[in-house]
Structures are given as structure tokens and as C-alpha cells.
Amino acid sequence: MRLDRFLSKRPDFNRQQVRQLLLAGRVTIDGQTERDGLREINAFQRIELDGQALQEGHPARYLMLHKPTGVVSATHDPQHRTVLDLLPEAAREGLHIAGRLDGNTTGLLLLTNDGQWSRRLTLPGSKLPKVYQVETAEPLGAEYVATFARGIYFAFEDLVTQPAHLELLGSNSARLTLVEGRYHQVKRMFGHFRNRVTRLHRESIGPIRLDPTLQPGEYRPLSAAELACTLENPAAHCTGA
Ligand code: URA
């Protein structure tokens, strides 16, 4: 693998920061300063940043978790249980969340230690569809479908939301597909109609669907097929096979 790719897989550095770290001479291979990001490295070399080893014991990991309500999408929280608390301690190290959910939202959450992969999934430009099941306090109607498809003005960000697809399933339930992930986006979109979301559940992120055999609080590694789907063709439908 190339040194710059190896470094930008970490959650804390994007590609520009990696270039700067290299230029500043902060990275060494087997004790020798290395400024060339194109340099090929192998698993037997010791890569250090500011004298700290980076690669030992950190193979890339990709997990899907069925988030229950009542845990927060954070890696640390002084007050609340976090999604990482659902994993055994040994499995938590280095993981971060690719696309958060609110505390009372359930469903698919992806966890990884591969920063490059999670950035690819969550960058606004990726336009990866995220599918939610929604239940609301007040009845829904055709005006929601048309308004969501047109986009809604969010004053705080001063933007209009990307066209979203709403499929009405019942008087108070729907399936919503978004291609972006703004703060509390689903609740704010229904809030436009002064309609409160009473239940929110994420079914899928791009090609990855929540495994229906996972109970709330359970997790499993992504299968090789699921991972290949996100790496090669995020738009494809993907099964756990
Ligand atoms: N939109 C929300 O409002 N909440 C979530 O948890 C996810 C999307």
C-alpha cells in the first residue's frame, strides 16, 4: 500500500493533512523520515508519526450495528451510554461512526477504523441514498411528497435540501430516502409541516441494508460482499451474501 493512502485511512487525517504531515517530516518508516507519500510500504515496516507507531494491531474493521434507542451516536459521552458501549471493550479500539443517528433513532449504524472509507460514505458529494422508516404524530398527505421532492429551505444553513423521495405507507407512516445528512434532517423536514416524528429507523445507507437478523443492540462485521459494494460500486444493491 502507498504511504499516503495508509495515513489517510486513519480517522484523524484527510488527504491534505497527510500531505502536510509528510512535508513537515513528521512521518518515519523504520526510523527514517519519509516525505514521499507515493512510497510503497508493507506490513513489516514500522510507520511512526511523531514517534508513535501507527499500524500495529490496527487492521481495518467495518461493522454494522442495529442501534437501539437510548444510546448516543458518539464514541465517548460523560453522561450517556454510547453505541460503542454495546461492543466488548476489546472490539471498540479505534472505531468511529460513519453517519450518526439521534439518540431516539434506531437502525443501521456503520462503525469503522478506516477514515478514508467513512469519509467516502459520508461526504455530501457522495449523494449516497439513506433510507428511513418514519412515523409521525399527525397524518401525512400528498403535499409532503411534493414538498420533499422540491426541497425545503433550512434557514440555519441557508440552503434548500436536496430532492428527497417520500413513499407514503399509511396515514402516519412513510419511507423517506435522503441523499444528504444534515443535522436532525428528517425531523426538521417533517417539522416544516409542524408534524412530530414519533419513530425513526434507518434501513440502509447506500448499498448496505440493516441485516434483519440483528436485534437492537447487536452487531456484525460487514461481509466481504458488502464491503466490496461500498468500495467499488456504492450505488449497487448489496446483500450480505
Ligand atoms: N434525521 C434525523 O432527524 N435524525 C436522525 O437520527 C437521522 C436523520
Side-chain angles (χ1 to χ4, degrees):
M1 180 190 287
R2 264 171 40 181
L3 178 61
D4 56 357
R5 295 230 172 97
F6 166 78
L7 292 168
S8 55
K9 266 178 178 268
R10 299 180 60 81
D12 17 9
F13 308 124
N14 60 31
R15 276 194 223 162
Q16 195 189 347
Q17 288 164 325
V18 164
R19 273 196 295 276
Q20 287 164 351
L21 294 176
L22 286 163
L23 281 176
R26 293 170 59 187
V27 179
T28 57
I29 301 178
D30 293 332
Q32 300 293 312
T33 301
E34 182 53 77
R35 291 189 165 84
D36 182 5
L38 302 182
R39 169 87 186 266
E40 288 293 322
I41 56 167
N42 64 49
F44 303 103
Q45 288 170 312
R46 183 177 173 87
I47 317 299
E48 290 182 353
L49 171 66
D50 298 332
Q52 296 287 315
L54 293 180
Q55 84 276 42
E56 283 165 10
H58 292 293
R61 283 180 298 142
Y62 308 89
L63 305 177
M64 74 158 72
L65 178 125
H66 186 162
K67 181 191 171 297
T69 55
V71 289
V72 295
S73 291
T75 47
H76 303 282
D77 190 289
Q79 282 168 352
H80 304 100
R81 269 190 101 204
T82 72
V83 288
L84 282 198
D85 293 329
L86 299 168
L87 274 58
E89 207 160 330
R92 295 178 200 163
E93 205 196 322
L95 292 181
H96 62 273
I97 298 159
R100 293 164 192 278
L101 292 173
D102 294 340
N104 56 1
T105 302
T106 59
L108 176 63
L109 201 68
L110 296 174
L111 297 160
T112 183
N113 58 353
D114 180 345
Q116 201 177 359
W117 182 79
S118 57
R119 266 196 299 280
R120 257 189 79 183
L121 288 190
T122 54
L123 275 177
S126 76
K127 300 254 167 128
L128 219 51
K130 273 130 329 228
V131 181
Y132 294 88
Q133 292 166 17
V134 190
E135 287 176 20
T136 55
E138 306 300 328
L140 301 167
E143 68 279 19
Y144 286 70
V145 178
T147 306
F148 287 9
R150 264 200 314 271
I152 293 177
Y153 179 65
F154 278 3
F156 183 73
E157 295 93 337
D158 188 24
L159 55 78
V160 176
T161 56
Q162 294 285 317
H165 177 68
L166 187 72
E167 181 191 355
L168 299 177
L169 301 174
S171 63
N172 293 52
S173 63
R175 178 173 287 115
L176 177 64
T177 305
L178 300 181
V179 292
E180 58 190 340
R182 309 222 165 260
Y183 181 66
H184 293 326
Q185 180 157 352
V186 177
K187 291 170 187 164
R188 290 164 75 195
M189 287 172 73
F190 285 90
H192 174 81
F193 292 95
R194 301 195 186 288
N195 198 348
R196 191 166 53 83
V197 171
T198 54
R199 180 175 170 270
L200 185 57
H201 177 86
R202 184 157 64 194
E203 286 180 0
S204 60
I205 300 176
I208 303 184
R209 296 187 62 79
L210 179 63
D211 182 336
T213 66
L214 287 181
Q215 297 303 306
E218 291 183 346
Y219 69 96
R220 69 156 171 81
L222 293 188
S223 67
E226 285 164 336
L227 194 55
C229 259
T230 59
L231 292 173
E232 286 155 25
N233 185 5
H237 176 69
C238 195
T239 65

